[in-house]
Amino acid sequence: MRRLPLFAPVDEETFRRLTATAFLQKFPAGADLLTEGDPVDFLYILLDGSIELSGTWNDKETTLAVLGPVSTFILAAVILDAPATMNARTIGWSDILMIPGAALRAAIEEDVRFSSAVALELSGCYQGLVRAIKNQKLRGGLERLANYLLAQQSRQGGGPTLTLPYEKRFVASLLGMSPENLSRAFSSLQDYGVIVDGPQVTITRPAVLERLAKPDPLIDKHLPTDAILISKADRERNLQLGAHRAAPLSGTV
Amino acid sequence: MRRLPLFAPVDEETFRRLTATAFLQKFPAGADLLTEGDPVDFLYILLDGSIELSGTWNDKETTLAVLGPVSTFILAAVILDAPATMNARTIGWSDILMIPGAALRAAIEEDVRFSSAVALELSGCYQGLVRAIKNQKLRGGLERLANYLLAQQSRQGGGPTLTLPYEKRFVASLLGMSPENLSRAFSSLQDYGVIVDGPQVTITRPAVLERLAKPDPLIDKHLPTDAILISKADRERNLQLGAHRAAPLSGTV
DNA sequence: CGCTCGGTTGACCTAACTCAACTTGTGTGG
DNA sequence: CCACACAAGTTGAGTTAGGTCAACCGAGCG
């Protein structure tokens, strides 16, 4: 925990106060961590697993981001002590560190080192959102997918073949398209030397794919943690999550 | 300046240091304040006028936000000392306060009161972006316009008739649609009791319009400064801005 | 007087969503 | 061990929101 950039520079004293009330919890896949409009009592830090942030209005839902370890989320809402502006749900089993909001806000007002670390972290989140919006609005679906594949490739060591980190439907959500559309996009990419076999994707002609993708450092910035991307298409959601909702949240310190 | 929430709580000492190197400048309409990828040397604070933030990729441009007074912008980039992720251009004559980035970063590291004010400000910007994305992705053009009109109405005192603060094309950009589309949207709104006469818009049946708009506090939060919205449609931009580019920047202290 | 620019209107086009059918792989109960 | 059920993914056909292009109008201005 001390190794997180958010806490690394912090005073020993405030660190102790923050951790005193913090705890670690494991969540199963599909657990709803919070819902729009809820008061936000904790800052969440995703240590392992992945989580999806979404927004809803008028029975439609859209994915705002999919996070991987290590990421903080809803920092802004905690600082403002405002209701959550998004829903958070685990995608796979996730280890999450939870820090009470009151302690966090107190620490911000007392320790310069902490509050400037928070400012840096927030700035990073902000820039991530901006990148996500640009990715979403300036590129078409094919281009988004191409860039995503290139990003995954470099993150997984640069070899010609990569493994999709989630099920395809989550990738679709992440890229702002319907699963059907993702499927079609993949088959369109055959023309650019992309071969898909289940979750394995191999890029046979990187140069060609890159000419399509036109990656841009201002959009595809080397992601410090994991993809903080935008998107997903409007979709009616029938809230048939009963099974998941009821899933017991096995807690641990 | 002391009355800005960002500086109100700050130490007299750091306030002096910040203002020592700061200056105020007037810009004409259409002035490019900064361009994507530029190093960011100043924090900008818009005191009067309005400015448009946009992003580009592959010769397409999209409006990310339109700000009114009083708003800070590119705070995140200044804090990270990173290249700008968006373009900024004045829409009308604008008074802008500029604070050197180095001084600002120094102040953050030294004065808790300032760095926690920065954290609050950044959180607000972040939430604004999130709202903008939800507005953009979950609502259709008609709904966005309807909500925009209602928001303007309440900001202008609640009377049945309101005045559009910018030319319609900027409103279109702000709402993420082409000017043509905005025009059509306005005429569709006739069915909901909206009468348009140049920049004057009167809402004859608020209840009807509201049933269409379904305003939501999580999206249409009472904006502290001015609209921080998203959008604009992809558009080829032929960079025929010569006239504006060349416009002299009449500087003043 | 005629230019330009913002706005409007109409015809057309395209990306992306929806719905529905079909395939395949995986796990469960008989 | 097999049959069935279910979920993910794919494929195809139809729909739609929204953008593009082009023509047109009216106001301001040299």
Side-chain angles (χ1 to χ4, degrees), chain B residues 18-25 27 42-43 96-100 252-253:
Chain B
L18 278 171
T19 49
T21 48
F23 53 98
L24 182 65
Q25 201 161 338
F27 294 93
F42 301 95
L43 171 67
I96 296 180
L97 183 61
M98 298 169 69
I99 301 177
T252 329
V253 182

Side-chain angles (χ1 to χ4, degrees), chain A residues 164-241:
Chain A
L164 297 176
Y166 327 103
E167 291 176 3
K168 289 213 183 83
R169 63 198 169 109
F170 287 115
V171 175
S173 174
L174 179 69
L175 293 174
M177 48 177 97
S178 61
E180 296 95 322
N181 221 339
L182 175 65
S183 197
R184 292 184 238 276
F186 267 124
S187 55
S188 299
L189 283 187
Q190 284 177 20
D191 304 345
Y192 296 85
V194 172
I195 301 171
V196 182
D197 175 34
Q200 305 290 325
V201 178
T202 61
I203 297 173
T204 63
R205 279 174 290 164
V208 174
L209 190 60
E210 232 161 287
R211 211 169 57 241
L212 169 66
K214 298 184 196 63
D216 178 332
L218 292 174
I219 300 181
D220 312 291
K221 175 88 172 275
H222 270 177
L223 315 171
T225 62
D226 191 11
I228 300 185
L229 296 189
I230 270 245
S231 68
K232 181 43 199 64
D234 315 349
R235 171 185 298 181
E236 207 85 18
R237 177 167 290 260
N238 309 1
L239 318 198
Q240 76 298 39
L241 316 165

Side-chain angles (χ1 to χ4, degrees), chain B residues 36-177:
Chain B
E36 282 179 323
D38 282 357
V40 178
D41 303 317
F42 301 95
L43 171 67
Y44 294 74
I45 304 178
L46 176 66
L47 298 179
D48 193 32
S50 35
I51 77 110
E52 179 191 35
L53 301 177
S54 63
T56 61
W57 176 78
N58 201 22
D59 294 325
K60 290 197 289 191
E61 169 159 8
T62 190
T63 297
L64 298 170
V66 173
L67 309 178
V70 178
S71 319
T72 61
F73 52 104
I74 56 160
L75 218 203
V78 173
I79 289 175
L80 295 171
D81 200 8
T85 52
M86 24 190 175
N87 308 302
R89 179 178 310 136
T90 56
I91 288 183
W93 274 89
S94 302
D95 298 345
I96 296 180
L97 183 61
M98 298 169 69
I99 301 177
L104 190 114
R105 285 187 293 272
I108 285 179
E109 288 179 359
E110 285 162 19
D111 182 353
V112 210
R113 322 246 273 151
F114 183 56
S115 71
S116 45
V118 166
L120 279 177
E121 174 77 18
L122 270 173
S123 297
C125 295
Y126 184 87
Q127 297 272 32
L129 264 196
V130 170
R131 272 195 290 275
I133 297 170
K134 287 164 68 171
N135 187 38
Q136 176 66 25
K137 298 199 60 188
L138 292 168
R139 311 218 253 226
L142 247 195
E143 295 158 335
R144 285 200 297 278
L145 177 56
N147 278 292
Y148 178 74
L149 293 179
L150 290 171
Q152 281 299 321
Q153 182 191 35
S154 88
R155 182 173 315 163
Q156 296 181 16
T161 163
L162 58 94
T163 307
L164 298 176
Y166 326 104
E167 290 177 1
K168 289 213 183 84
R169 63 198 169 109
F170 288 115
V171 175
S173 173
L174 179 70
L175 293 173
M177 49 177 95

